[in-house]
Amino acid sequence: MSRKTNVRHFEENLSELDTLVTQLESNQLSLEDALKAFEKGVKLSQECQTVLTQAEQKVQILLEKQDGEHLETFDPELNS
């Protein structure tokens, strides 16, 4: 998945997560629907955390190479 795709998915997931939180806070969902929303929210949260971790790792690589050396391309597949 490309970096732009990751960012787009991150933003979409974050927006969807915000919607789920609003629905849960409204107390208007049935228990079954609230549990489904909570489960989906946990999944979205984990996906967002993965993207944030990858971004943090890339920043770390850039900071380590800040003295002007050749910058490495971050590949989450290799650095997992």
Side-chain angles (χ1 to χ4, degrees), residues 1-12 51 54 58:
M1 192 177 297
S2 74
R3 187 173 65 214
K4 286 184 180 181
T5 302
N6 274 346
V7 170
R8 184 174 62 248
H9 284 296
F10 175 80
E11 291 171 352
E12 290 170 358
V51 173
Q54 290 173 355
K58 183 164 186 164

Side-chain angles (χ1 to χ4, degrees), residues 18-56:
D18 185 50
T19 300
L20 288 172
V21 168
T22 301
Q23 289 175 350
L24 287 167
E25 288 176 339
S26 75
N27 294 323
Q28 295 183 4
L29 296 175
S30 67
L31 179 57
E32 183 178 344
D33 289 340
L35 287 172
K36 286 179 185 178
F38 182 78
E39 182 178 1
K40 187 170 187 175
V42 169
K43 181 180 179 225
L44 290 170
S45 176
Q46 290 171 337
E47 291 173 7
C48 288
Q49 186 59 47
T50 298
V51 173
L52 289 174
T53 299
Q54 290 173 355
E56 182 180 15

Side-chain angles (χ1 to χ4, degrees), residues 53-65 74:
T53 299
Q54 290 173 355
E56 182 180 15
Q57 290 171 341
K58 183 164 186 164
V59 167
Q60 187 62 39
I61 289 170
L62 292 171
L63 289 175
E64 289 173 3
K65 300 289 183 169
F74 176 72

